[in-house]
Each structure stands twice: as structure tokens, then as C-alpha cells.
Amino acid sequence: MTYLLDTAFQDGPQVHALVIGVGGYRHLRGGSDPVRHDTIVTRQLTSPPLSALAFALWVRDELRHPVAGPGSVDVLLSPSEVKEADGQLREVEVPSADAVQRAVDRWVSRCDSHPSNVALFYFSGHGLDNGSPLLLLEDFARSRNRILDAAVNLEGLVQGMRACGAGYQYYFLDSCRERTARLSSLRDTRTLPLLDIRDGPEQRRDLMVMPATLSGGSAYADRHRVSDYTQALLDALAGRAASTRDGRWRVTSSGLYEAVYALTRTAPPVQMPGMNVHGDLVLHLLDGPPDVPLGVRCDPAAARLADVSLSAFGGPEDKRPVLELHDTVWRAVAPAGVYAVGMDFPDGHYTAPSPAGVHAFLPPDLEFTVAVERVR
């Protein structure tokens, strides 16, 4: 077992995370023990261990739940290395079927210790879909006759967790959901039996399941970089999903989905995350207004001729955001809030109102368009 955080023996509600990233597949082409039979998927991956570690470190270092304190972050990665802050490599447990079964048992036991515990599950790696997302573990395809016995049926895991006492449960799945002819030809599919599914009422106060894509869709990543979905998830948690109420900035489960949905659809290749949510409670509290990317637009022909400024209401003059022109949009990273927008044209070719406007730059509405007029 590899814990990036372990304070599970303290009293009170806690956050317990199980994080799995599978990039190296033992039995696929290029793996340490490739097989000859049809494995449905074939490629080794580079993004999942990076994405999983980035998520695990954010949970360890940044997550602030309103009820539950830090508890545990259990990480399984393939390839099985973590680079520490000092640059040293640390070996972690590989997410084989047997190791994941043991990790789930540990995770469920910890999550079940308090009714206000938070259960976080994150997976990045290859995925399939047979009506439910199937998560492929490090020794996937080990058996020709039981092709899915090292795969996790997500629906079965979520339903099995109904018997766990953790009142807040969140599942993030960063994988494709391919539906192939080989998979469709199987009349019955036996996946890794992680948990018994018991009858009983739904007692979870907040339940969120957010796969990176809909059934049949693909999830994208550049080689050796955090994936598009996980980067969107981290950006959303850090502030792009934040809203303010009673003076406190927070991220709720529905706000998180809306932000991830928007962020994964801003640039090609576009993917559409799915969601199943029961409740809409606060997952993360921020210390104050989050730093977010602000943008000011005008007629593209006028943008390069403008001087643009932002002034926060009640803010000091020396803390004004410094905007820079990117293509035709003036941009800055600054705390979310209400700003007066100034736009001047020294050469006199255009004119804009003074001030150009007042805008609440609050997620997700982080851009403001100024109506300008051509003078000569």
C-alpha cells in the first residue's frame, strides 16, 4: 500500500481518497508480458499516472471539506513511480486486480468509520463500456477466457458503496468508454467482484459520478501530460467552479460538473463528460476569491489599438490586474470579483464609454465585451 496521506486514526469525519492511474499494461503490446489473444485495447498510455498523481496531490494539499478533515490518500500507479518534491523517485503499488481489491477493502473500511466521511474515488486509464463504464486494471487481459476479470464495473462499485456509511461520495473517471464489436459479442461479462451489492435505501447525502465522456466516447490527453479531463477537474476545483454565498467561496457538486463540462468543450478535441448526481452539497471551501482568467473583448480590429485596465471596487490602486493582449482578447489572471473596466484609444481611431463598464467577473462569466465605435 502507498499512502500519500494517512491520518485515518484521528477522531471525527475525514476525507478518504483512493486514486488509481494505469498507464503501463502488463499484457498489452509493449508490456512486460504481452499476450497473443485479442485484448480489445492495445496501446500503452503515458497520461494516466501523471493525471492520477496530480489529482492525489491536490486532494492531499488543497482540499478543504466543510465537515470532514484530511484522512487518507491511497495511490496505485503503473508505471509504479512517484517523484517526490526533492526529485527522488518513490516506488508505489501497481494497480493489478489483486492490489485494487485489497485497496478497495482498505478504503471501504476507512470510509465506513463515520457517517460524515467523504469517499473520493479517482481512476485514469483505459476504459470500455457495456452499459456501465468498465475500468481496465494493470493486468487486464490476463485471461483469454475471462477477458474482463481484471476490469472494474463502475456501476457495481457505486452500488456496492451504498452499504458504506460515508455520507458524501464522489467518483471521477478519466477514461474512454469504447463500445467494440468484441465486447458486444459477449453474452455475459464477469468483471472483478469488488463489493457485494445489498438492498437498502439510499442514505448518501451527496453522491456524484462524473465520467470523462459519455458512453461510446473518447477521453483525450497529450503524451506525457495531465489529461484534458483531469486538468479541467483541477482547474474547476481550484476556482473555475467556485461560487460565493454568505461571503464564503465554495465548490458544489453540480457547480463542479458545470465547470468541467464547459472547460472540456472550449477547444478541440471536444469531449462531453457525463454525470449522475444525487444532492448538491459543498465539496470544497476556498480561503477567498479564486484567481481566475479574466478577459475583456471589443471589436477585433480595435483590440490592438486599445489601452485596457481593470479596477476592483474597493481595491488598492497598486493591485490592479495587468492585462495582456492575446490574439484579440485582453487577458489577466486575477481574483474573481467586481471590476470597473477602462478602455482608451490614444490614436483616436475608436472611442469607448468611460468607464467602459462594470462587470462581475465571477465563474463562469469571466469575460466582458465593450461596445466601441469607430471615429475615423
Side-chain angles (χ1 to χ4, degrees):
M1 66 187 73
T2 305
Y3 284 104
L4 296 186
L5 173 70
D6 187 4
T7 61
F9 298 105
Q10 296 181 5
D11 293 332
Q14 293 183 314
V15 177
H16 297 292
L18 175 56
V19 180
I20 300 170
V22 191
Y25 283 85
R26 190 187 319 176
H27 302 305
L28 302 189
R29 186 173 59 230
S32 61
D33 186 18
V35 296
R36 293 181 178 273
H37 54 263
D38 180 6
T39 57
I40 308 180
V41 297
T42 59
R43 294 185 299 115
Q44 304 291 328
L45 303 174
T46 59
S47 177
L50 299 176
S51 300
L53 182 58
F55 180 80
L57 292 175
W58 186 89
V59 173
R60 185 191 71 180
D61 298 336
E62 304 294 337
L63 179 60
R64 301 293 181 268
H65 190 268
V67 174
S72 62
V73 180
D74 194 357
V75 179
L76 297 89
L77 300 177
S78 174
S80 57
E81 292 179 338
V82 169
K83 182 175 286 189
E84 301 283 7
D86 60 4
Q88 296 296 313
L89 292 178
R90 173 184 176 189
E91 288 291 320
V92 301
E93 191 167 16
V94 170
S96 66
D98 290 344
V100 168
Q101 180 72 79
R102 294 191 298 269
V104 167
D105 287 345
R106 297 193 300 267
W107 178 62
V108 173
S109 177
R110 289 172 176 237
C111 292
D112 197 40
S113 64
H114 196 285
S116 291
N117 276 348
V118 176
L120 292 178
F121 178 86
Y122 172 98
F123 173 88
S124 183
H126 274 306
L128 298 169
D129 192 289
N130 67 346
S132 172
L134 302 175
L135 317 179
L136 310 188
L137 304 179
E138 182 267 349
D139 50 350
F140 170 73
R142 61 187 179 178
S143 169
R144 179 175 186 174
N145 299 316
R146 294 169 297 280
I147 192 66
L148 296 177
D149 77 339
V152 172
N153 182 305
L154 174 66
E155 183 177 347
L157 174 62
V158 174
Q159 291 301 314
M161 282 290 287
R162 291 178 64 184
C164 175
Y168 310 91
Q169 297 186 19
Y170 306 91
Y171 301 82
F172 303 105
L173 296 310
D174 190 357
S175 63
C176 296
R177 295 177 63 181
E178 298 179 38
R179 301 177 71 98
T180 69
R182 168 82 167 92
L183 186 62
S184 299
S185 70
L186 301 175
R187 294 182 59 187
D188 191 12
T189 53
R190 302 297 177 88
T191 55
L192 183 65
L194 287 176
L195 297 172
D196 291 335
I197 299 177
R198 306 176 193 173
D199 292 332
E202 178 62 74
Q203 298 183 10
R204 292 173 283 201
R205 283 164 276 175
D206 206 21
L207 169 65
M208 180 182 192
V209 181
M210 189 166 63
T213 185
L214 300 177
S215 179
S218 297
Y220 300 100
D222 293 333
R223 286 181 59 82
H224 302 292
R225 298 189 65 179
V226 172
S227 73
D228 295 357
Y229 167 86
T230 296
Q231 190 60 60
L233 176 62
L234 294 174
D235 289 345
L237 288 164
R240 296 295 294 272
S243 59
T244 181
R245 183 175 181 180
D246 300 328
R248 300 203 70 180
W249 286 87
R250 76 275 175 79
V251 175
T252 67
S253 45
S254 65
L256 181 60
Y257 171 75
E258 291 170 4
V260 172
Y261 177 89
L263 290 168
T264 53
R265 297 176 64 78
T266 55
V270 171
Q271 63 189 72
M272 182 180 294
M275 185 183 74
N276 179 12
V277 63
H278 169 78
D280 184 24
L281 301 181
V282 177
L283 170 59
H284 174 52
L285 290 173
L286 288 79
D287 293 334
D291 287 342
V292 289
L294 314 182
V296 177
R297 295 179 178 270
C298 65
D299 183 333
R304 64 183 179 83
L305 304 175
D307 288 339
V308 182
S309 63
L310 294 177
S311 301
F313 277 179
E317 290 293 317
D318 60 349
K319 293 295 184 179
R320 286 188 177 189
V322 177
L323 294 101
E324 296 182 355
L325 184 63
H326 294 261
D327 294 327
T328 60
V329 184
W330 288 86
R331 299 192 181 277
V333 175
V338 180
Y339 290 85
V341 182
M343 182 174 289
D344 298 312
F345 294 93
D347 65 3
H349 289 310
Y350 290 86
T351 184
S354 181
V358 175
H359 185 66
F361 290 88
L362 305 176
D365 184 15
L366 298 176
E367 293 194 354
F368 179 69
T369 300
V370 179
V372 301
E373 295 182 2
R374 185 171 178 82
V375 176
R376 56 184 171 86

